[in-house]
Amino acid sequence: MLILVMVPLFAYVVYPAINRFWPLTLLRKMQIGMFVTAATFAVPIWIETQIQQGGRPSIGWQFVAYVFLTAAEIMVSITSLEFAYTQAPNKMKSLIQSINLLSTSLGTSSSRSSTSD
């Protein structure tokens, strides 16, 4: 649900706002998304610190982490699909897209198998 809400927000608000100060390319969007992904881990670290100190953080902080993670996914996943499609030669577009999606599925399946152990 967050992706459906945030994609238009990024397309019409966030990207144009960033573009005013720093010209955005597809690679720059992905770079920013990687930094946002790394910064997303600050939220659970903060929550755990609060718990260790005897605090009782609100469950709402989990929503904040999901918002950051969704923003990072929009900046990396969607942009990487666009980048792969725009940079591939016409005769190789479907092959490049399938390789991109294959890498996503392999990453997803390996993360699921490691959590089920």
Side-chain angles (χ1 to χ4, degrees):
M1 187 62 121
L2 280 174
I3 291 174
L4 293 175
V5 171
M6 291 178 69
V7 166
L9 178 71
F10 270 70
Y12 295 113
V13 177
V14 175
Y15 290 152
I18 294 172
N19 202 31
R20 282 188 215 139
F21 303 104
W22 193 35
L24 279 178
T25 63
L26 295 175
L27 291 176
R28 283 189 182 154
K29 286 181 191 178
M30 289 189 286
Q31 288 172 341
I32 294 168
M34 292 292 185
F35 282 110
V36 173
T37 301
T40 299
F41 290 101
V43 177
I45 290 169
W46 181 84
I47 292 170
E48 183 62 28
T49 304
Q50 295 300 311
I51 292 170
Q52 294 296 326
Q53 294 175 355
R56 295 177 50 114
S58 167
I59 192 70
W61 284 105
Q62 187 174 6
F63 180 74
V64 172
Y66 277 118
V67 168
F68 285 138
L69 195 58
T70 302
E73 183 177 356
I74 290 168
M75 296 183 98
V76 175
S77 296
I78 294 173
T79 307
S80 70
L81 283 170
E82 181 182 357
F83 182 76
Y85 189 79
T86 59
Q87 299 302 310
N90 284 337
K91 292 186 177 187
M92 294 185 66
K93 287 191 187 296
S94 60
L95 176 66
I96 298 298
Q97 290 292 31
S98 66
I99 291 171
N100 190 337
L101 293 172
L102 175 65
S103 67
T104 302
S105 69
L106 291 175
T108 302
S109 66
S110 68
S111 68
R112 286 188 182 169
S113 66
S114 66
T115 58
S116 63
D117 293 339

